[in-house]
Amino acid sequence: MSVKILYFAGLREALGIGSETLELPAGVATVGTLRDWLVGLGRERLASAKNLRCAVNQEMGGPETAVRDGDEVAFFPPVTGG
Amino acid sequence: MTVRVQEADFDLNAELTALRAGDARVGALASFVGLVRDINDGAGVSEITLEHYPGMTERALEAIVDEAKTRWDLYGVLVIHRVGPLRPCDQIVLVAVTSAHRGEAFAACEFIMDYLKTRAPFWKREATPDGARWVDAREADDSAAARWQKEDS
């Protein structure tokens, strides 16, 4: 299955990429397993980032949140607006 | 529009006037304006840049406004948040709430700001004499948002 992955703020800068669309292997079906898989691809900052947040289809999620074909998954640091 | 994310500045008086225009039920209008300061964490700040997550930002803000409307009797709510480059003294954010009485208006305005600070996907990057840096989230913002949950239980 294919998902669109977005990175924001300091994480986007550290990875040098704002978004990518990737074909996920079988077994990668949650945010947590997706994160581990991306770290294995060389996106180490996803492992070391402090208090990393995520959203699936623009709703806040956690490691257990399911990831399905066509989803938009975003990783980002804690928010600092206002 | 209840929620707006925009680069342009906003006219405070025009926005507040429009929010309560012609509504004689309104006895209280509470508003909060967040501004760019020229110092943060001990360093001078010459400019900040606000990044956001288009789409999710608007949805998150609308969800916060909806939550406020379930907690208090509100007639009108307006949230404007700017993005892009901003300089010290610039307006960043406006939250305005109308209600029959001040208690609900004050509380809802503060609630919306506290939730916005911890739930809406905006990130500040600031330019300092030592270079640009991303602003770290503050624990005080988490505890400010958390107290609204404690009051429920």
Side-chain angles (χ1 to χ4, degrees):
Chain A
M1 66 177 182
S2 170
V3 297
K4 183 178 186 186
I5 302 168
L6 304 176
Y7 307 107
F8 289 96
L11 185 64
R12 171 180 55 73
E13 263 186 5
L15 294 173
I17 183 174
S19 73
E20 54 188 340
T21 300
L22 294 173
E23 199 65 34
L24 305 189
V28 177
T30 63
V31 168
T33 53
L34 172 61
R35 178 182 174 175
D36 292 344
W37 182 70
L38 289 165
V39 170
L41 286 186
R43 314 243 182 275
E44 282 108 3
R45 185 60 178 259
L46 286 168
S48 61
K50 200 173 56 173
N51 299 321
L52 188 71
R53 303 287 202 264
C54 70
V56 176
N57 298 327
Q58 306 188 352
E59 299 277 353
M60 294 295 284
E64 307 304 320
T65 305
V67 175
R68 299 185 177 85
D69 186 42
D71 280 355
E72 177 178 293
V73 182
F75 293 99
F76 44 83
V79 303
T80 56
Chain B
M1 288 282 282
T2 297
V3 164
R4 278 152 47 196
V5 178
Q6 62 190 42
E7 288 203 16
D9 198 7
F10 50 85
D11 180 333
L12 186 56
N13 189 49
E15 299 295 349
L16 298 186
T17 300
L19 184 64
R20 68 182 190 83
D23 192 344
R25 299 171 303 169
V26 173
L29 191 172
S31 66
F32 171 86
V33 178
L35 305 164
V36 182
R37 295 188 307 149
D38 66 358
I39 190 163
N40 187 33
D41 284 339
V45 174
S46 56
E47 185 181 77
I48 70 166
T49 304
L50 268 149
E51 178 172 330
H52 78 300
Y53 181 172
M56 181 174 171
T57 309
E58 290 82 353
R59 288 174 63 157
L61 292 174
E62 281 161 11
I64 294 166
V65 170
D66 287 346
E67 174 70 25
K69 285 178 171 170
T70 67
R71 293 183 180 221
W72 297 280
D73 285 325
L74 308 177
Y75 297 137
V77 179
L78 174 65
V79 178
I80 302 176
H81 202 300
R82 297 179 67 193
V83 292
L86 297 170
R87 302 182 68 80
C89 299
D90 281 353
Q91 303 183 119
I92 304 174
V93 58
L94 166 66
V95 173
V97 172
T98 60
S99 187
H101 303 287
R102 71 184 184 285
E104 304 225 80
F106 274 134
C109 188
E110 189 168 24
F111 167 86
I112 292 169
M113 261 321 289
D114 285 347
Y115 267 38
L116 181 157
K117 295 282 287 187
T118 53
R119 297 182 178 209
F122 293 100
W123 301 274
K124 283 195 193 100
R125 183 180 167 83
E126 54 191 18
T128 75
D130 296 328
R133 64 185 186 189
W134 290 96
V135 174
D136 280 330
R138 295 172 199 274
E139 274 181 32
D141 289 333
D142 285 329
S143 36
R147 75 204 153 102
W148 296 102
Q149 286 155 18
K150 276 183 216 146
E151 286 173 9
D152 290 340
S153 53

